[in-house]
Amino acid sequence: MQLKKLVAGIDMGGTNTVYALVDEVGTIYGSGTFPTNLYQNFDQYIVALRDGILDLSSKIEREHKIMGIGIGAPNGNYYTGCIDSAANLIWKGSLPMAEKLKVLFGGIPVVLTNDANAAAIGEMIYGSAKGMKNFVVITLGTGLGSGFVVNGEVLYGHDGFAGEFGHISYKRDSRQCGCGRRGCLETFVSAPGLKRNTFELLINENTQSSLREFTFSQMTSKDVAIAAQNGDKIAKMAFEMTGKILGEALADLVAITTPEAIFLFGGLAKSGNLILDPTRESMEANLLSLWKGKVKLQLSNLDEDNAAILGSSALAWKELNK
Amino acid sequence: MQLKKLVAGIDMGGTNTVYALVDEVGTIYGSGTFPTNLYQNFDQYIVALRDGILDLSSKIEREHKIMGIGIGAPNGNYYTGCIDSAANLIWKGSLPMAEKLKVLFGGIPVVLTNDANAAAIGEMIYGSAKGMKNFVVITLGTGLGSGFVVNGEVLYGHDGFAGEFGHISYKRDSRQCGCGRRGCLETFVSAPGLKRNTFELLINENTQSSLREFTFSQMTSKDVAIAAQNGDKIAKMAFEMTGKILGEALADLVAITTPEAIFLFGGLAKSGNLILDPTRESMEANLLSLWKGKVKLQLSNLDEDNAAILGSSALAWKELNK
């Protein structure tokens, strides 16, 4: 029997680290997880991660070889293999994660990028973007992330940090953003953005709404989605407002990189047509006429539970197949 | 003596067509020009262009060979080699310019793109972007054009028309744009944009200004530049306003493609620090902190008179050296 080639995919989140062994067609041969902040020392974290991967490997009956490792991490830089000043991690400064894992795994290729770029590569290798040379993945969660693929390659830019579409300006000097500025797109379009839009509508409209019974701290984007599904007018307006703003921004995006398709991904994308329909309508209304009706806008079809792991694995496969 | 390898560079403008024979280091061996709209029939135009190039060739004493042809043209599409519905040309529909020239020149490589992309390639091969893999050229003339280079390749997008940075929205539902929409960046940042900004200031400010003696039709961006150089306050404010808006837009651009450098090019860029200083100040003020002080903003150093021709020639050389 032929030696099965696998890669390790790692999804490093602020809360949990998930890792898995995955083959070239996206079959997961085993996965594990542990809390990211369990270790005060980054080296201990790396060793625990190595041990977790080796443990998975030992449980696979089929003869196999780990060919490479792909990592999706907050502020992950593809060029340097480092995680730089990620706000959600307890270790500060620049963390040479790829290099450290490479040493522990005997020099196999280890590549790292941020979550949104990993999602884009996952979409390209395992998802709906198969065969596409120019597309964008927009991740809608705590923030708005973006992974651009141009001429078949991820757009990393000069320094490895390109694709911060959440931090283009939507409305200057308005809502405070985590980045230290005001009015960034992600303060309007993201899970917290949807909540802020909801409260803005509660202020401006007198329409009855079940959402008037939530505190600002309590309310989540899921509450708004459930209310919208139950016919709550304010909740529906909040999705329409969010989609309208995202559509305007995507029309500008098309004018710059002109992708074949744009995929929505992440928590907010789970609300499906609630977000997709107003986004598409607004994008179409704002596109230059030459692009009207020509750019696909759709939800990612990657299984949400495994998407991050598949993205990281795909990153490794892409590197190995270069 | 070795056979000298040359390419023909063609700059097809709405008014004039300029053509030249150029070697790989940018030396021009001869050039010619004729009015673009001299011929009712596009085929006659192509034949005249061929004859012009052959005439140049016959006058060069050194033994040489024309290896390829590069064309910069309005709405030129690199993928198809066609000019599609260019507003400034008398021939309508899709013009297969590359294919027609290729036939007349015995099948040598003929490549075509739009003016801004040609300028970007010129900057990459002959100008200040030598060796850069990620940069942007912004052309400031009748409109605002842009040529993006990403991973060392021009960003053509899915359909060949990417890089319409002049048509991202600056202020929705405001100034009418040639594209049929309102509020596009180029209605604020371009030669006519500068004039519109000037009149907006004449409306809003009571400051004395020599520019109050111009009709809207009379005034050109050059008049505003001369007034600013003579210390006219409104003229200086108009440049500051234009630079402020451009800088805001460039900060968003950096968040998306993260170039190493941004080059300003074209008529308005000739006004030098009048436009460069407020643009840089505004870009820096609006950048995410991780990019502050890290993205070069400078004027193109290509000789303005020959830049378009050099860009088209560079396009041909880039294709030949693939």
Side-chain angles (χ1 to χ4, degrees), chain A residues 28-82:
Chain A
I28 295 176
Y29 279 69
S31 67
T33 182
F34 63 89
T36 301
N37 56 10
L38 204 60
Y39 303 93
Q40 280 299 314
N41 186 298
F42 184 64
D43 284 334
Q44 291 173 316
Y45 167 83
I46 290 290
V47 168
L49 188 52
R50 192 253 334 243
D51 293 347
I53 292 167
L54 291 182
D55 185 51
L56 285 185
S57 176
S58 71
K59 288 175 183 153
I60 298 173
E61 288 186 10
R62 180 153 176 198
E63 229 182 318
H64 64 277
K65 190 179 175 195
I66 300 175
M67 308 297 295
I69 298 175
I71 308 158
N75 285 23
N77 188 311
Y78 175 78
Y79 293 144
T80 64
C82 292

Side-chain angles (χ1 to χ4, degrees), chain B residues 49 108 119 190 195 197 211 223 230 241 245 269-270 276 289 308:
Chain B
L49 188 53
I108 61 171
S190 62
K195 177 165 86 168
N197 295 343
L211 297 170
D223 294 321
N230 291 335
M241 177 177 171
I245 295 169
K270 281 187 196 165
L276 197 59
S289 56

Side-chain angles (χ1 to χ4, degrees), chain A residues 76-79 112-125 132-137 146-158 160-163 311 314-315 318-319 322, chain B residues 134 150-152 256-257:
Chain A
N77 188 311
Y78 175 78
Y79 293 144
L112 178 151
T113 188
N114 72 29
D115 345 26
N117 288 338
I121 297 172
E123 205 67 50
M124 178 160 56
I125 308 281
M132 288 188 186
K133 294 278 183 196
N134 292 277
F135 68 94
V136 180
V137 170
S146 61
F148 286 72
V149 170
V150 164
N151 295 333
E153 296 296 328
V154 173
L155 196 170
Y156 292 114
H158 178 56
F161 290 118
L315 176 68
K318 191 164 179 6
E319 194 73 14
K322 251 188 183 170
Chain B
N134 292 278
V150 164
N151 296 334
I256 300 174
T257 70

Side-chain angles (χ1 to χ4, degrees), chain A residues 32-319:
Chain A
T33 182
F34 63 89
T36 301
N37 56 10
L38 204 60
Y39 303 93
Q40 280 299 314
N41 186 298
F42 184 64
D43 284 334
Q44 291 173 316
Y45 167 83
I46 290 290
V47 168
L49 188 52
R50 192 253 334 243
D51 293 347
I53 292 167
L54 291 182
D55 185 51
L56 285 185
S57 176
S58 71
K59 288 175 183 153
I60 298 173
E61 288 186 10
R62 180 153 176 198
E63 229 182 318
H64 64 277
K65 190 179 175 195
I66 300 175
M67 308 297 295
I69 298 175
I71 308 158
N75 285 23
N77 188 311
Y78 175 78
Y79 293 144
T80 64
C82 292
I83 297 168
D84 288 330
S85 314
N88 296 331
L89 300 181
I90 53 170
W91 314 291
K92 297 306 161 199
S94 188
L95 308 168
M97 182 157 177
E99 186 54 37
K100 282 183 185 285
L101 269 180
K102 192 179 178 134
V103 169
L104 291 187
F105 279 90
I108 60 170
V110 182
V111 276
L112 178 151
T113 188
N114 72 29
D115 345 26
N117 288 338
I121 297 172
E123 205 67 50
M124 178 160 56
I125 308 281
Y126 302 126
S128 305
K130 248 180 223 162
M132 288 188 186
K133 294 278 183 196
N134 292 277
F135 68 94
V136 180
V137 170
I138 303 286
T139 64
L140 298 169
T142 316
L144 187 160
S146 61
F148 286 72
V149 170
V150 164
N151 295 333
E153 296 296 328
V154 173
L155 196 170
Y156 292 114
H158 178 56
D159 63 0
F161 290 118
E164 286 292 345
F165 194 63
H167 295 285
I168 66 165
S169 178
Y170 175 69
K171 196 175 184 180
R172 282 173 210 290
D173 304 322
S174 63
R175 298 180 185 171
Q176 197 168 11
C177 184
C179 75
R181 304 179 307 169
R182 284 180 179 271
C184 293
L185 183 61
E186 77 171 27
T187 66
F188 291 83
V189 182
S190 63
L194 176 70
K195 176 165 86 168
R196 288 164 116 163
N197 295 344
T198 303
F199 274 88
E200 191 171 309
L201 289 160
L202 290 175
I203 294 164
N204 291 332
E205 309 297 322
N206 286 331
T207 315
Q208 275 197 337
S209 169
S210 62
L211 297 171
R212 294 197 191 273
E213 312 314 320
F214 285 81
T215 69
F216 194 88
S217 298
Q218 276 172 342
M219 191 189 289
T220 66
S221 58
K222 206 173 169 182
D223 295 321
V224 185
I226 291 168
Q229 276 144 10
N230 291 334
D232 188 282
K233 275 190 188 161
I234 291 287
K236 288 201 269 185
M237 287 168 78
F239 274 100
E240 282 157 18
M241 177 177 172
T242 307
K244 177 175 178 289
I245 295 169
L246 177 56
E248 289 172 0
L250 292 181
D252 285 349
L253 183 160
V254 171
I256 299 174
T257 70
T258 317
E260 176 177 357
I262 299 168
F263 298 94
L264 304 186
F265 182 87
L268 205 57
K270 281 187 198 165
S271 41
N273 286 336
L274 275 174
I275 185 73
L276 197 60
D277 289 346
T279 302
R280 184 182 288 122
E281 188 182 335
S282 165
M283 183 179 89
E284 288 295 333
N286 285 284
L287 279 175
L288 265 178
S289 56
L290 95 130
W291 289 308
K292 279 186 201 291
K294 292 194 180 152
V295 181
K296 298 181 196 97
L297 177 70
Q298 56 191 80
L299 302 175
S300 163
N301 76 341
L302 286 183
D303 168 22
E304 178 82 24
D305 291 339
N306 294 318
I309 279 300
L310 290 177
S312 308
S313 307
L315 176 68
W317 283 117
K318 191 164 179 6
E319 194 73 14

